[in-house]
Amino acid sequence: MSERLTRDYHIGEEIGRGRFGAVYRCYSRDTGEVFAVKSVDKTYLNDAEDRDCAEREAKVTQIAAAGNPNVVQIHAAYEDESSTHLVMDLCDGGDLFDRIAAGEGAPMGEEDAAAVMAAMMEALWICHRRGVAHRDVKPDNVLFDGEGRLRLADFGSAECFGEEGTAMRGVVGTPCYVAPEVVAGRDYGEKVDVWSAGIVMYIMLGGIPPFYGETVEEIFDAVLRGNLRFPTRVFGGISPAAKDLMRRMICKDVSRRFSAEQVLRHPWITSGGSATCVANLT
């Protein structure tokens, strides 16, 4: 561990592990406040893309997180010869993947799902206004703090797209959640996050992903076809308003796909998941 890090913080037990390193509970030696520290082992950064991912996370997270209550905040950053260390908010309430898995495939109620979607889309709306696209929205990256507040995390794949309409490139993200324009290798914008968030909503309400396969190639083929269905056996009890919002988010035509701001204005969101129709939607 960095000498400066251990001077400022007492490092506790490991609470998580990822591709490049581990996350530990830590305590401020000045205030006793509890945080998490994400330590990335540089020896795991095998290529330029991995190194760029690790270096970008602190910078982009600080842009996205400032004054954004639903994004994990970075409080300090340290670096030594072997590792980088980011001191962040402690989110010990688990992640959205855990909450979905706890239902053992049973759908989440619409009101609970709407609360998650409202907080997540609020976080993304602020990110997009600041020119940041997350590019890896999925249940594993949606955390909850000790008070139950949603915190969007892991900006290692994020990109700053600057002026509105500036295109990004590169196949990043997780196969089941990635947007078709990413898979196709085309230029794309921040609406890739809206597609991914729509997939998260579909899984919360249905317990299954809309596009799947035995291999990454099969999943990508399904994503490119974009044949969105709502099987009656799974979605028979889901409101037309919820299905309408998912269609507008999981929309292959990017020009017709909702923005994060439009999602927040949809009746299903504004009603807290209680809207049953969208007759007044313009």
Side-chain angles (χ1 to χ4, degrees), residues 200-216:
V200 172
M201 179 178 167
Y202 187 104
I203 292 173
M204 283 194 292
L205 294 176
I208 57 173
F211 311 117
Y212 50 87
E214 295 296 324
T215 65
V216 171

Side-chain angles (χ1 to χ4, degrees), residues 27-75:
Y27 307 82
S28 168
R29 294 190 184 275
D30 289 337
T31 67
E33 192 172 358
V34 187
F35 298 96
V37 58
K38 181 177 182 178
S39 295
V40 175
D41 188 334
K42 293 180 180 178
T43 61
Y44 291 149
L45 306 179
N46 297 318
D47 54 37
E49 183 177 346
D50 287 346
R51 289 190 293 273
D52 182 58
C53 177
E55 292 171 359
R56 185 171 53 224
E57 181 173 10
K59 173 186 173 183
V60 176
T61 303
Q62 288 173 335
I63 295 171
N68 192 344
N70 294 115
V71 168
V72 170
Q73 310 285 313
I74 291 181
H75 298 274

Side-chain angles (χ1 to χ4, degrees), residues 237-249:
I238 302 301
S239 69
K243 294 175 186 175
D244 178 82
L245 178 55
M246 285 185 280
R247 288 189 186 97
R248 294 172 185 269
M249 297 176 72

Side-chain angles (χ1 to χ4, degrees), residues 81-105:
E81 290 185 0
S82 62
S83 303
T84 60
H85 312 277
L86 300 179
V87 178
M88 306 179 293
D89 291 328
L90 175 66
C91 294
D92 54 0
D95 61 33
L96 183 57
F97 180 87
D98 294 333
R99 296 194 177 192
I100 294 172
E104 298 181 347

Side-chain angles (χ1 to χ4, degrees), residues 9 36 43 52 133 151 153 161 165 173 208 223 233 274:
Y9 296 89
T43 61
D52 182 58
R151 299 295 189 95
F161 57 86
I208 57 173
V223 169
R233 62 181 177 80
S274 64

Side-chain angles (χ1 to χ4, degrees), residues 3-247:
E3 183 177 336
R4 289 179 56 233
L5 171 66
T6 55
R7 180 194 65 200
D8 296 339
Y9 296 89
H10 169 72
I11 310 302
E13 73 276 17
E14 181 179 313
I15 56 175
R17 182 163 288 274
R19 185 160 60 112
F20 299 133
V23 180
Y24 302 88
R25 192 183 303 269
C26 68
Y27 307 82
S28 168
R29 294 190 184 275
D30 289 337
T31 67
E33 192 172 358
V34 187
F35 298 96
V37 58
K38 181 177 182 178
S39 295
V40 175
D41 188 334
K42 293 180 180 178
T43 61
Y44 291 149
L45 306 179
N46 297 318
D47 54 37
E49 183 177 346
D50 287 346
R51 289 190 293 273
D52 182 58
C53 177
E55 292 171 359
R56 185 171 53 224
E57 181 173 10
K59 173 186 173 183
V60 176
T61 303
Q62 288 173 335
I63 295 171
N68 192 344
N70 294 115
V71 168
V72 170
Q73 310 285 313
I74 291 181
H75 298 274
Y78 301 86
E79 184 172 6
D80 53 40
E81 290 185 0
S82 62
S83 303
T84 60
H85 312 277
L86 300 179
V87 178
M88 306 179 293
D89 291 328
L90 175 66
C91 294
D92 54 0
D95 61 33
L96 183 57
F97 180 87
D98 294 333
R99 296 194 177 192
I100 294 172
E104 298 181 347
M108 186 181 291
E110 290 195 40
E111 290 187 3
D112 290 339
V116 170
M117 290 299 297
M120 180 167 58
M121 297 312 300
E122 181 77 21
L124 288 172
W125 175 57
I126 294 174
C127 288
H128 294 172
R129 287 179 62 196
R130 294 175 178 172
V132 173
H134 187 281
R135 301 202 301 176
D136 196 19
V137 175
K138 59 182 178 179
D140 317 56
N141 290 336
V142 178
L143 310 182
F144 297 91
D145 63 21
E147 298 177 352
R149 174 181 288 177
L150 180 147
R151 299 295 189 95
L152 186 62
D154 197 345
F155 282 75
S157 296
E159 185 66 83
C160 292
F161 57 86
E163 297 293 330
E164 184 177 356
T166 301
M168 294 171 281
R169 292 189 66 86
V171 179
V172 296
T174 303
C176 283
Y177 303 91
V178 71
E181 60 268 30
V182 177
V183 177
R186 299 196 301 267
D187 290 351
Y188 55 84
E190 70 276 14
K191 284 186 179 181
V192 295
D193 288 342
V194 177
W195 173 284
S196 300
I199 304 295
V200 172
M201 179 178 167
Y202 187 104
I203 292 173
M204 283 194 292
L205 294 176
I208 57 173
F211 311 117
Y212 50 87
E214 295 296 324
T215 65
V216 171
E217 290 76 16
E218 289 180 1
I219 295 170
F220 281 172
D221 285 345
V223 169
L224 287 171
R225 288 193 299 271
N227 190 7
L228 184 64
R229 294 191 177 99
F230 298 102
T232 302
R233 62 181 177 80
V234 176
F235 287 93
I238 302 301
S239 69
K243 294 175 186 175
D244 178 82
L245 178 55
M246 285 185 280
R247 288 189 186 97

